[in-house]
Amino acid sequence: MKIGKILWMAVALCGAVVANAQSKPGVIAHRGYWKTPGAAQNSIASLEKAIAIGAEGSELDVYITTDGVVVLHHDGVIDGKLIDEGTYADLQNEKLANGEPIPTFEAYLDVARKQKHTKPIIEIKPHSSKDREDAAVTAALDLVHKAKMDKRVEYISFSRNACERLIAQGPKKIKVAYLGSDIAPKELAEQGYTGLDYHIGAMRNHENWFDEAKAAGLEINVWTVNDEASMKYLIGKGVDYITTDEPELLQRVLK
C-alpha cells in the first residue's frame, strides 16, 4: 500500500474518532441520581450522588410558596394541598422518601455551586396561576444570580409562559429549552429558545426534528430514557444530552 494512502486512512480514522468523541451526549440525572441508596427524587442527596458519579447535569423541579420560598418537588400537591397556594411553614413537617425535609432551592444551589462539573437543569413547574408562575421564574432567576451561577445552569419547562419569561427576564446568554414536545424546532429557535427537551416518543415520531434542531442551532435533550437500546438510538442521532433515571447505565453505554 502506498505511503500516501496509508497517511490518508490514518487521518480519516483520527477524524472519525474525534468526531465520535465530540458527539457523545451529556448525562442528565432525572430528578437527580435518586435510584441509589440514601437518595430520593429532588433531594439534596440526589444532587450529591449525581455529582459523585460525574453526571453532566442534575435535573430538578421547583415551585414557589405564597411567602416566596422556592422549593424542590415533582408533584404540585402534597397531602391534598397545592404547594404554590401554601406557605413554606406548611411544608415543615413533610419528608422525602429518604427522610430529608422538602429542600429549598437556595440550599440546593449552595451545594451545586461548590463544584463546576454537574450543571443544575432547573424545571419551572406549571403553577396554579400565571401570577404564581411568574413569581417562580423571577425568584429562581434571582437565587441563581445571587449564587453567581448564571452561566452554570439551564432552564426547562412545559409552560410556554415560564419559558418566555425566562428568555425575557434572564441574563443575555440564558439557556432555555421547551419540554412540551409539540412545537417544531424551527419555531422554537425563532422564539429565542436555545434548545428542545423532548420525550423520546415524540422524537421517534418526528425523526426529522433531529436534523431540523441541529440546523436551527438548538441543543437537543431527550427524556426519560432508561433502556440501553433507546440510549444507543439517541447516541446514533447525535443528541447533546440524554435525561435518565439510570445515569450509570448511560455512562457505561457511552464507554
Side-chain angles (χ1 to χ4, degrees):
M1 186 179 291
K2 292 182 179 180
I3 298 296
K5 188 172 183 181
I6 293 173
L7 289 172
W8 179 86
M9 290 177 66
V11 170
L13 179 59
C14 288
V17 170
V18 170
N20 184 58
Q22 291 175 335
S23 67
K24 284 186 176 182
V27 177
I28 308 298
H30 185 228
R31 303 175 197 167
Y33 186 16
W34 61 272
K35 291 182 73 173
T36 188
Q41 295 183 13
N42 281 297
S43 64
I44 300 294
S46 71
L47 168 63
E48 292 172 334
K49 300 285 187 179
I51 292 169
I53 65 168
E56 281 74 21
S58 186
E59 188 259 356
L60 64 144
D61 307 297
V62 299
Y63 292 91
I64 193 168
T65 63
T66 55
D67 51 344
V69 181
V70 181
V71 297
L72 275 64
H73 206 261
H74 179 262
D75 298 330
V77 177
I78 298 180
D79 289 339
K81 298 178 181 178
L82 287 167
I83 293 173
D84 69 344
E85 291 185 357
T87 65
Y88 181 58
D90 294 333
L91 304 174
Q92 292 300 293
N93 296 324
E94 301 296 337
K95 302 291 183 185
L96 300 178
N98 66 340
E100 280 187 37
I102 305 297
T104 66
F105 185 43
E106 187 171 17
Y108 184 98
L109 289 173
D110 190 51
V111 174
R113 69 183 177 85
K114 293 173 183 176
Q115 54 80 51
K116 293 185 178 180
H117 180 75
T118 302
K119 180 182 293 190
I121 309 298
I122 305 158
E123 180 177 347
I124 308 291
K125 300 295 284 188
H127 283 58
S128 59
S129 71
K130 182 179 180 298
D131 286 345
R132 302 305 301 139
E133 197 167 279
D134 292 350
V137 168
T138 300
L141 288 169
D142 287 347
L143 287 167
V144 169
H145 185 69
K146 179 182 176 183
K148 298 181 179 179
M149 292 190 68
D150 288 326
K151 296 179 181 179
R152 295 169 52 197
V153 304
E154 296 186 20
Y155 298 89
I156 57 177
S157 185
F158 282 98
S159 165
R160 295 186 69 174
N161 170 64
C163 288
E164 288 164 8
R165 287 194 71 84
L166 286 163
I167 293 167
Q169 286 186 223
K172 186 176 181 180
K173 294 185 178 181
I174 189 171
K175 288 192 172 185
V176 180
Y178 179 56
L179 285 165
S181 303
D182 59 348
I183 302 175
K186 186 172 182 288
E187 184 180 343
L188 289 179
E190 290 170 351
Q191 294 176 12
Y193 290 80
T194 57
L196 58 81
D197 195 343
Y198 283 1
H199 187 268
I200 185 170
M203 295 305 289
R204 285 186 182 275
N205 289 335
H206 302 275
E207 285 200 318
N208 61 302
W209 282 359
F210 290 105
D211 289 337
E212 186 177 323
K214 291 173 188 176
L218 296 177
E219 290 188 332
I220 304 171
N221 192 356
V222 183
W223 56 274
T224 300
V225 184
N226 296 330
D227 66 280
E228 188 171 332
S230 295
M231 291 172 181
K232 289 181 176 178
Y233 166 77
L234 293 171
I235 293 167
K237 290 294 184 182
V239 301
D240 298 289
Y241 301 99
I242 296 174
T243 297
T244 178
D245 293 315
E246 304 286 352
E248 289 194 283
L249 171 60
L250 177 52
Q251 288 176 330
R252 290 195 295 272
V253 170
L254 287 168
K255 288 180 181 178

